[in-house]
Amino acid sequence: MLSINLDDVMQVLTNVRSYLIAFGVVLALAIIVMVAVRKLPKAKKKMIRAQSGLAILLALTIVINLICTGPMSTMLDLVSGSGTINEETSAKATELVNEITAEGVVLAKDEDNVLPVASGSKLNVFGWSSTNPCYGGTGSGALNDAYPVTDLLTGLHDAGIETNEELSKFYTDYKADRPSVGMVEQDWTLPEPNVNLYTDEMMENAKAFSDTAMVVITRVGGEGADLPSGENGTNDSWIKGQEGDGNYLALSAEEKELLQNLKTLKDNGTFKKIIVLINSSNAIEMDFLNPEICGEDYGIDSAMWIGDVGQTGINGVAQLLAGEVTPSGSLVDSYLYDNMANPAMYNFYTQAYPNAADYNLLTDGPDVQGMYSVYQEGIYLDYRYYETRYEDAVMGTGNAGDYNWSTTVAFPFGYGDSYTTFEYSDFNVTESADAFNVTLKVTNTGSTYSGKETVQLYFQSPYTDYDKANGIEKASAELCGFAKTDILAPGASETVNITVDKSELRTYDANNAKTYIVDAGDYY
C-alpha cells in the first residue's frame, strides 16, 4: 500500500479551496436558517428546513461538478485512463525535468579542471549501472512504466559525446535488468562484474578509444523498505556474498577492484582522467574520494553527484558533463567518510511492540505493522550536529572530545563546486519590523565559463543563562535563507537579495515556556 503524501494532499486542497469556501458559506447560511426557524409553526418550519437541506445538496452537487470539471479534471482523466498527455505538454515537462536536474546536480570534486568533457570527444563509460542507472525511488517515487526514460548513454550521445559501445555491450550481456527493489520485493544485489571478466583486448580497445574513463556508481532507495544493514539483511547474495561486507552505502568489493584496475591503467598511461558519477539519493560514504582517509588512491580526478534523475533528467547531466551548463547545485545532506560517525545512524534501531502478537500484528515481511523505529538525534539533524560539535571542540565546551570535523565530513550540507569561481562583496543587512533584508554582490571571477551561484545564509543565536537553566538545545548554525543568481558571464555581477523573517530566529522552549522564545543578545 502506498503512503499518502501530505504535501500532495495540501496541494489538492489549495487548488479547490475557493470552491470549498463557497460551499462552506452556503452550508453555514442553511444551518443558520434551520436554527432560526425553530419557533415557527411545524408545517412552515418543516418546509423551510427541507428547502435549506435541498439548497445544501444542490450547492454540494454544483461544487463537486465544478471541481471535477475544473482544477481536478486533468488528474481525474489520467486516473480513469481517459485522459492523455499531448506532445506539447510532454515536451514542456521534459524541458523542466532537464532544467531541474541540471540545476540540482552537484560537482563534488574537479581536480585540474578535468570536467567538462568537450562535445565531440569520446568517453569510456565503466560500471554496470552505466547501462541501467537508477531513475527514481521505490513506491510513490517510482517512475511510470507507460513513458520511456532517457538512458545515460543516449543522453551523452545527444550532447555530442561518443561512448565505447563494446563496454556497454559487455555490461548488457552480463545482466540486462536491474535487480528489483520495491515495496514488496527487495533484491539489494549490486550486479557489478568481477574485474577478471574485463579482457585484455577489451581494455586495449578502450585505451585506443579514449584516454578518459568515467565510472557510474548507483544505489537504490525509497519508501516501504529500509536498506540492508549488513547484520540481518534480506538478501544473502549481498550480505554474505563476494560483493562486500554488507554496508550498502559503501563501495562493494567489485567497485573497488574496478577503480583499482583503472588507477593501474592510469599509472601506465592507458588513461589520463578518471571521473565518477554518483547516481544515488542516499548519502553514500565518500572515503574513496580521499586517499588520506581510505588509505588508497583510486586516481579519481572528478566526481559529480547526480541523485535520481527522473524520466529524462539524464539529459541535464549530459549537458553538465559536456559543458553546455555549469554546475550550480548544492548538497542537501552532509556526506561523510564513515556514516557510523553520525549518531543518528549509529543509534537508530527498530523494535517490535511487546504485545504485537496479541493483536496479530506482523513483525516480519513486506507488510510490517508491529514494529516501531527509534530516532535519537533530537534537533541535531545533519549539519546541525556536525557544526555544533565542531564549535564545542573549538570552544572546549560540551562533550566534543577529540572530534575532528575535517576527518568526519567529506562534503558538507550546502556544498557545491563549479566550473568557474565566484566572489562575494558588499554584504549588507537592513532590519524592518518583521524581517531582515540581506543584500550582497556576487561576481563571476572566472575567465572561461558562465554560471549561476547559489548563495546560502546561516545564522548563529546566543546561548543564554535562561537556555542553560531550562535545558534548551540550540544548534550553532542554522540555514535561514538562500537564493541563486541568474547566469553570470565571466566578470559579470549581480546583487542578490534574501529576506529572512525574524521568526526564523526563534527557539522552541519545550521544557518551561512551552512556546517559541527569542533570547536577548547578538545574532550573527
Side-chain angles (χ1 to χ4, degrees):
M1 181 178 179
L2 297 181
S3 299
I4 295 175
N5 188 318
L6 291 180
D7 289 337
D8 291 342
V9 173
M10 293 306 299
Q11 182 63 50
V12 169
L13 292 176
T14 299
N15 291 337
V16 303
R17 180 172 53 190
S18 58
Y19 300 92
L20 296 178
I21 291 174
F23 174 71
V25 170
V26 173
L27 179 63
L29 290 174
I31 291 174
I32 291 172
V33 170
M34 289 180 176
V35 173
V37 300
R38 65 184 185 278
K39 294 183 179 180
L40 292 178
K42 186 175 181 179
K44 192 171 185 180
K45 178 172 63 176
K46 184 177 181 180
M47 180 188 69
I48 294 175
R49 286 183 172 177
Q51 290 176 338
S52 298
L54 184 62
I56 293 173
L57 182 61
L58 181 62
L60 180 61
T61 303
I62 292 173
V63 167
I64 292 175
N65 183 63
L66 289 173
I67 290 175
C68 292
T69 58
M72 297 288 289
S73 60
T74 300
M75 182 185 298
L76 293 173
D77 286 345
L78 292 175
V79 170
S80 66
S82 62
T84 59
I85 299 177
N86 59 40
E87 291 185 5
E88 181 182 0
T89 302
S90 181
K92 288 182 178 179
T94 297
E95 183 180 352
L96 178 60
V97 169
N98 296 345
E99 180 183 350
I100 291 171
T101 303
E103 297 237 3
V105 164
V106 176
L107 180 62
K109 178 180 181 179
D110 190 24
E111 293 181 357
D112 300 323
N113 300 318
V114 166
L115 288 175
V117 178
S119 180
S121 60
K122 297 181 178 182
L123 190 63
N124 291 303
V125 187
F126 288 88
W128 179 83
S129 293
S130 64
T131 58
N132 211 323
C134 179
Y135 300 99
T138 63
S140 300
L143 269 65
N144 190 329
D145 293 336
Y147 303 97
V149 297
T150 302
D151 62 86
L152 174 62
L153 301 178
T154 299
L156 290 172
H157 297 163
D158 291 344
I161 298 173
E162 185 179 351
T163 61
N164 186 331
E165 294 183 4
E166 182 184 16
L167 271 178
S168 301
K169 186 177 184 303
F170 165 69
Y171 292 121
T172 54
D173 288 347
Y174 178 77
K175 183 172 176 58
D177 300 319
R178 174 167 290 285
S180 177
V181 176
M183 295 179 68
V184 177
E185 180 184 5
Q186 297 92 37
D187 181 354
W188 300 103
T189 306
L190 299 176
E192 194 66 49
N194 194 288
V195 72
N196 60 20
L197 297 179
Y198 294 86
T199 65
D200 292 340
E201 180 183 5
M202 186 191 304
M203 300 311 289
E204 282 296 322
N205 292 341
K207 175 182 178 180
F209 184 79
S210 173
D211 66 355
T212 303
M214 185 171 76
V215 181
V216 181
I217 297 172
T218 295
R219 294 295 185 271
V220 180
E223 68 172 346
D226 210 341
L227 304 179
S229 66
E231 297 175 357
N232 56 355
T234 58
N235 188 283
D236 288 342
S237 64
W238 164 248
I239 299 303
K240 298 177 182 177
Q242 62 177 353
E243 296 167 313
D245 61 1
N247 183 350
Y248 189 70
L249 297 180
L251 295 191
S252 70
E254 284 75 15
E255 289 167 334
K256 291 178 181 178
E257 289 171 357
L258 173 59
L259 289 174
Q260 289 166 345
N261 191 36
L262 294 177
K263 173 61 164 60
T264 300
L265 293 171
K266 183 181 179 184
D267 290 341
N268 68 23
T270 299
F271 299 123
K272 293 181 180 178
K273 309 166 187 174
I274 300 177
I275 302 164
V276 171
L277 282 191
I278 301 168
N279 171 214
S280 172
S281 291
N282 288 302
I284 71 172
E285 295 180 352
M286 295 291 202
D287 58 327
F288 65 96
L289 293 178
N290 189 330
E292 295 182 2
I293 296 295
C294 74
E296 181 159 4
D297 185 0
Y298 293 110
I300 299 169
D301 301 291
S302 296
M304 184 176 281
W305 176 89
I306 67 172
D308 293 341
V309 295
Q311 186 175 314
T312 61
I314 207 73
N315 289 319
V317 176
Q319 291 171 352
L320 290 163
L321 290 170
E324 297 176 22
V325 180
T326 296
S328 60
S330 303
L331 291 177
V332 295
D333 289 298
S334 296
Y335 280 66
L336 309 182
Y337 294 119
D338 177 4
N339 281 342
M340 284 301 175
N342 180 352
M345 181 169 179
Y346 194 87
N347 295 322
F348 165 80
Y349 65 93
T350 57
Q351 180 73 39
Y353 287 107
N355 59 345
D358 297 341
Y359 294 90
N360 297 317
L361 300 178
L362 298 177
T363 57
D364 193 16
D367 192 21
V368 174
Q369 311 120 346
M371 303 284 287
Y372 64 92
S373 298
V374 177
Y375 304 92
Q376 302 187 46
E377 66 269 21
I379 70 164
Y380 296 108
L381 286 168
D382 199 79
Y383 73 93
R384 289 177 175 84
Y385 168 74
Y386 308 115
E387 298 299 325
T388 303
R389 190 165 183 190
Y390 168 76
E391 181 173 312
D392 283 347
V394 171
M395 301 300 293
T397 59
N399 298 310
D402 58 354
Y403 178 76
N404 189 328
W405 186 96
S406 64
T407 58
T408 301
V409 180
F411 299 99
F413 174 93
Y415 180 86
D417 206 347
S418 174
Y419 296 153
T420 187
T421 54
F422 296 93
E423 183 180 272
Y424 295 176
S425 60
D426 301 339
F427 181 84
N428 185 59
V429 181
T430 57
E431 183 179 358
S432 64
D434 299 319
F436 298 98
N437 188 55
V438 179
T439 61
L440 72 156
K441 182 178 178 182
V442 179
T443 303
N444 182 347
T445 55
S447 58
T448 305
Y449 295 100
S450 299
K452 296 183 177 182
E453 168 71 344
T454 302
V455 179
Q456 302 163 47
L457 193 63
Y458 296 80
F459 77 92
Q460 288 182 299
S461 55
Y463 195 66
T464 68
D465 290 338
Y466 175 86
D467 300 328
K468 297 173 185 176
N470 290 284
I472 297 174
E473 299 281 359
K474 284 186 180 180
S476 68
E478 294 185 63
L479 180 71
C480 57
F482 59 91
K484 183 177 282 192
T485 67
D486 293 327
I487 298 176
L488 299 178
S493 300
E494 178 182 327
T495 298
V496 173
N497 292 273
I498 301 175
T499 299
V500 180
D501 291 338
K502 287 186 174 179
S503 60
E504 291 285 339
L505 308 185
R506 301 179 304 174
T507 302
Y508 191 77
D509 178 5
N511 300 321
N512 187 37
K514 307 295 185 183
T515 187
Y516 288 94
I517 63 170
V518 180
D519 288 309
D522 293 329
Y523 289 77
Y524 295 92

